[in-house]
Structures are given as C-alpha cells and as structure tokens.
Amino acid sequence: MTDGPTQPDQTDDGFVSSYLLYLLAASSDAASAEFHAHVRRAGLRVPEWRVLACLGDRDGQMITRLADIALVEQSRLTRIIDQMVTRGLLVRRDDQEDKRRVRIYLTAEGAALSKKLVADAKVHEKTLLAALPADCATALKPALAALLEGLASRRK
C-alpha cells in the first residue's frame, strides 16, 4: 500500500497511457490549466471566455451556436449569458430577419476584453506549440480539426 497517489511510470505500456481519449483529455487539461487561470484572474469563467472569443470572431451569434463553442448545455449557457448581460459584457438584440430569434452581441467593454484575451490566448498557444518538435506542432491543429470534422459528419 502507498501513502498517496502515485505518478504513472513513464515506461508504462498499459492501455490508458496510450489511449487516444486519455491523451486528448490529459493534454487538454494540462494545456488549458495555465490559460484558464489567466481567464479567471481577468474575472471570467471559462465558458464566458469561450463566448467572448466566439463573438470576437463573429459578433451576433445565436445561443445555440455559442453553446456549441462554449461546450456548455444551452439552458446553462442562457443563465451565463444573462449574467454577462448584467455585467455589461453582452447585449441581446432581436434578429433582423426573424423577430422570434435573439442574437448575442459584444458591448464595447466585452469587445475590449475579448480582444485582449484572444491576443493572450494566441501567445499561450505559441508557447504550447513551441514545446513540440516542429513537425508535430505543424500537424497538430490540422489533425485535431480533421478529427472534429470526421466526428461531426458521423453525427449527421
């Protein structure tokens, strides 16, 4: 019996240490930890950061799209957006083509915060990719994008 948790042996050839889903989750957790701490120091929760980043790319999204990007269930995201509206980061506006739909837009404060955090995220990403051999760094994002695209096409 050990006194506490043990670290996996680097030479472990077991299933988990080479399982794709473990590698993806553990990599995401490790790579995200530092930046997510930065996001929290900026006064945001991670889903809020993801909403700001998405709207920074394309303002005026619908909540369904934002829920996909933020990786949050839609009803929970609606509550998060309510809080962000109250804090002055977002505003809701009726869709011009279909008045039954509502779109979410950045306020000036939200846009400024989005712009700053996106710039910080780009620096963080460069640091992460610099830790990899050049050929792996070049291939990583296209490989992950292809995986996501393949998985999305299977769900249709």
Side-chain angles (χ1 to χ4, degrees):
M1 179 175 266
T2 62
D3 291 350
T6 60
Q7 295 297 318
D9 186 329
Q10 294 298 325
T11 61
D12 182 3
D13 291 332
F15 170 73
V16 172
S17 64
S18 64
Y19 181 47
L20 176 63
L21 297 182
Y22 165 76
L23 293 170
L24 288 170
S27 295
S28 177
D29 188 58
S32 299
E34 185 177 279
F35 190 72
H36 289 172
H38 178 69
V39 165
R40 287 188 290 278
R41 285 191 299 275
L44 297 173
R45 292 171 289 170
V46 173
E48 293 172 328
W49 143 244
R50 291 178 180 149
V51 166
L52 290 181
C54 180
L55 293 173
D57 281 345
R58 188 170 173 201
D59 211 5
Q61 294 287 323
M62 307 237 332
I63 290 179
T64 51
R65 172 71 178 139
L66 293 173
D68 289 343
I69 293 292
L71 305 174
V72 174
E73 192 272 321
Q74 189 173 334
S75 65
R76 180 170 172 247
L77 185 64
T78 298
R79 289 188 298 276
I80 291 169
I81 288 173
D82 288 343
Q83 294 164 356
M84 294 175 77
V85 166
T86 299
R87 290 170 40 207
L89 299 173
L90 304 176
V91 64
R92 284 185 171 88
R93 293 189 194 132
D94 291 337
D95 185 295
Q96 294 301 312
E97 295 173 16
D98 183 346
K99 299 295 183 188
R100 296 171 296 175
R101 295 189 300 188
V102 174
R103 295 191 174 270
I104 309 300
Y105 293 86
L106 293 167
T107 62
E109 182 181 349
L113 186 54
S114 174
K115 185 177 180 178
K116 179 187 181 333
L117 287 174
V118 165
D120 295 346
K122 288 178 180 180
V123 169
H124 184 255
E125 179 182 83
K126 283 182 183 179
T127 302
L128 291 171
L129 291 172
L132 294 171
D135 60 331
C136 290
T138 301
L140 183 60
K141 287 171 58 176
L144 292 172
L147 178 60
L148 284 173
E149 186 177 313
L151 293 170
S153 69
R154 287 173 42 180
R155 286 190 305 239
K156 291 180 181 177

